[in-house]
Amino acid sequence: MLRTYNLAMEYIDLFTLQNNIKELVSTNMPSGIWLVAEIRSLQTRSGHCYLELSQSDDNAQEIARLRAIIWRSRYQLISSYFRANTGSELSEGMQILVRVDVNYSELYGFSLIINEIKPEYSLGEQESKRTKNIELLNADGLMQRQKSLTLSLLPRTIALISSASAAGLRDFIQHINESVYSSSLQFELFEAVMQGKECPSSVVDAINRVEEATTKFDLIFILRGGGSKLDLAAFDDYEMCKRIAQSQIPVVTAVGHDQDYHICDMIAYDYCKTPTALADYVLSMYYAQEERLYQLQSRLHQACMAKIAVEEEKLNRLLSSVKFAFILKLNKEAEKLNMLQARLKNICLSRINLMLSKLDLYEHKIHSADPRQIIQRGYILALDASGKVLKSSKSLEKGDSVTLLFDKAKIDCIIQNIEENGQ
């Protein structure tokens, strides 16, 4: 309600302002908007899920933030569906794609009501980050840095970076203790958080503590058990992998399941599929040295090796002949394939350029027909009371309301008189 004060100043009360904003939001905002954002915080109360969504720029500076809610009637379904497709719970730091309705309350302001989620987006976003981090590490020349280090033939002092309660750590220690070489090895645990947002910085801190320790370690093992793709996403973190690459001590990783392969595995000196395999990794070095001793003690083995060498030479000659013939054949087929590939590429490029030209033409037509372009050139757009564009005065009568849209303003008017221009 519009009121006056001292017959000179017009004002409205707060509720009226809030209600006007609410009406504008409900009138102009469509329902079912697909939105991309990061989960800044998440809490569940009374079966409802309360989130704070945010967005950051390329410099990791937050540029937007808004509250969101998943009502109890939808939360179980949404969270179960997300967990079934990703293996993870919704948690802070995740990038999500959700379908939302914009809500405005006179008491609580703006918020979003989440009605649906696309778990494949979160997986795809993580894969995109993973690819970008690999490119950055390659650009920094770090991917092969660990591989250039020299590994001790019989490492004795090994730093373990893991969670003290990790099942993978227990499996590792048990496997080591079952070996006859357990007494030859010295392990020291440097605890770290092995999942979630704190994992990368925690692992980096653990590596720093290893290198600052008074003990000179021969190896660093980073190990944890399996988990979902999103749970293990921390091991694709750029800063963590960069620190692994910069370590002066060879690092061997064992993270996740057999099918998992993370950037930390790529960048480390070596990697194993599981913590148990990691135990075998170091034990195999001792077994290898033991085998070499047995070979030196066995003179009979020399005769076998000589015979094998002769047969290998014959086989190598045969393989060389076959290989040469195969390479000639392969080169011919490769030449044909290159010619075909070049032709296909030229055809595709021509087709793409044609489609791009058409797209530019359509875009120009759409842009030229945009009413906002007309208004920006100094014209005025007139709307009737229902918000439709007025093209003639035939439907108007005295007393009707019209709205005039300028480039940066809107004026609501009441018709006092209509004069025809005789045309």
Side-chain angles (χ1 to χ4, degrees):
M1 176 184 294
L2 188 63
R3 302 177 182 177
T4 60
Y5 179 72
N6 290 338
L7 303 178
M9 182 183 294
E10 296 182 345
Y11 70 93
I12 60 174
D13 56 46
L14 179 60
F15 177 82
T16 302
L17 174 63
Q18 294 283 67
N19 191 55
N20 289 344
I21 295 174
K22 182 177 181 178
E23 289 181 0
L24 285 172
V25 171
S26 62
T27 301
N28 294 283
M29 291 301 297
S31 60
I33 299 172
W34 284 102
L35 174 73
V36 171
E38 179 180 338
I39 300 177
R40 189 174 187 273
S41 65
L42 180 149
Q43 293 181 343
T44 55
R45 296 194 303 271
S46 302
H48 307 301
C49 181
Y50 298 88
L51 307 96
E52 194 171 53
L53 304 180
S54 67
Q55 179 181 344
S56 300
D57 59 18
D58 294 337
N59 297 319
Q61 296 296 316
E62 189 177 60
I63 57 175
R65 187 191 304 178
L66 191 59
R67 294 181 298 109
I69 304 169
I70 309 176
W71 296 122
R72 178 171 52 197
S73 58
R74 299 285 299 170
Y75 180 58
Q76 285 295 333
L77 178 63
I78 289 175
S79 61
S80 297
Y81 181 71
F82 187 86
R83 182 170 56 252
N85 284 271
T86 66
S88 298
E89 299 287 348
L90 289 168
S91 60
E92 297 177 4
M94 283 185 179
Q95 284 282 344
I96 56 174
L97 173 61
V98 289
R99 186 170 60 84
V100 302
D101 291 332
V102 179
N103 181 63
Y104 188 86
S105 166
E106 290 89 346
L107 286 175
Y108 305 109
F110 279 103
S111 65
L112 302 174
I113 307 301
I114 297 177
N115 297 310
E116 189 178 345
I117 190 167
K118 290 288 187 183
E120 55 268 31
Y121 174 84
S122 298
L123 293 172
E125 181 69 9
Q126 185 54 49
E127 186 62 29
S128 176
K129 288 182 179 179
R130 185 176 188 270
T131 301
K132 182 179 180 181
N133 288 342
I134 291 174
E135 293 173 353
L136 288 173
L137 290 164
N138 269 317
D140 293 341
L142 298 175
M143 291 299 290
Q144 299 299 319
R145 187 167 182 171
Q146 272 274 309
K147 309 295 191 295
S148 65
L149 299 179
T150 301
L151 184 63
S152 173
L153 287 177
L154 289 176
R156 296 178 58 85
T157 54
I158 301 174
L160 304 179
I161 296 179
S162 183
S163 169
S165 60
L169 178 62
R170 292 195 298 270
D171 294 340
F172 173 88
I173 294 174
Q174 180 180 349
H175 200 64
I176 291 291
N177 289 336
E178 292 172 352
S179 168
V180 296
Y181 295 113
S182 60
S183 59
S184 301
L185 296 165
Q186 176 186 341
F187 299 98
E188 184 175 342
L189 175 63
F190 291 79
E191 286 193 61
V193 178
M194 300 307 287
Q195 70 178 43
K197 295 180 66 174
E198 297 179 9
C199 176
S201 60
S202 183
V203 171
V204 168
D205 177 68
I207 295 175
N208 292 337
R209 286 185 281 125
V210 171
E211 293 191 339
E212 292 167 3
T214 55
T215 302
K216 183 180 179 181
F217 290 98
D218 298 319
L219 269 174
I220 297 176
F221 285 172
I222 300 176
L223 64 155
R224 65 151 285 166
S228 71
K229 289 184 178 180
L230 293 180
D231 286 339
L232 297 172
F235 295 92
D236 293 325
D237 180 81
Y238 173 80
E239 293 299 331
M240 177 200 291
C241 295
K242 178 181 177 181
R243 185 63 186 88
I244 291 174
Q246 292 173 338
S247 173
Q248 300 303 310
I249 305 171
V251 178
V252 183
T253 59
V255 177
H257 303 287
D258 287 350
Q259 69 272 20
D260 295 322
Y261 187 51
H262 301 279
I263 301 179
C264 69
D265 299 327
M266 302 177 193
I267 209 161
Y269 179 88
D270 208 346
Y271 81 100
C272 297
K273 292 294 188 180
T274 64
T276 301
L278 189 60
D280 287 332
Y281 181 89
V282 66
L283 292 175
S284 66
M285 298 181 186
Y286 284 79
Y287 292 137
Q289 290 301 319
E290 183 180 53
E291 180 63 23
R292 291 189 184 97
L293 290 175
Y294 284 133
Q295 290 176 358
L296 292 174
Q297 294 171 358
S298 177
R299 297 296 182 182
L300 292 176
H301 187 64
Q302 295 179 1
C304 295
M305 294 299 296
K307 180 63 176 176
I308 290 173
V310 172
E311 295 302 321
E312 282 183 344
E313 181 63 26
K314 294 179 181 179
L315 181 60
N316 287 336
R317 287 199 296 270
L318 178 60
L319 288 174
S320 296
S321 300
V322 174
K323 181 179 178 181
F324 181 76
F326 179 78
I327 290 175
L328 288 178
K329 180 66 175 178
L330 188 61
N331 287 338
K332 291 180 180 180
E333 295 301 323
E335 185 177 352
K336 294 179 181 178
L337 183 61
N338 289 337
M339 293 175 62
L340 179 59
Q341 184 179 11
R343 291 177 59 191
L344 289 174
K345 182 177 179 181
N346 289 334
I347 293 172
C348 291
L349 287 175
S350 298
R351 182 64 177 171
I352 290 172
N353 289 334
L354 178 60
M355 294 176 72
L356 287 174
S357 298
K358 290 182 178 180
L359 183 61
D360 290 340
L361 178 60
Y362 293 151
E363 183 179 6
H364 178 71
K365 289 182 178 180
I366 292 171
H367 184 74
S368 300
D370 191 340
R372 291 174 294 186
Q373 300 298 319
I374 299 174
I375 292 174
Q376 289 175 359
R377 294 199 296 269
Y379 292 94
I380 300 170
L381 193 64
L383 308 176
D384 63 15
S386 64
K388 295 182 179 179
V389 177
L390 289 170
K391 297 182 179 179
S392 72
S393 62
K394 292 181 180 180
S395 62
L396 297 176
E397 295 179 357
K398 182 178 180 180
D400 287 351
S401 61
V402 296
T403 299
L404 302 180
L405 294 181
F406 292 82
D407 181 21
K408 299 184 181 296
K410 180 181 77 169
I411 300 176
D412 294 326
C413 306
I414 301 298
I415 297 176
Q416 293 183 347
N417 187 32
I418 299 176
E419 293 184 7
E420 301 292 339
N421 58 13
Q423 296 181 356

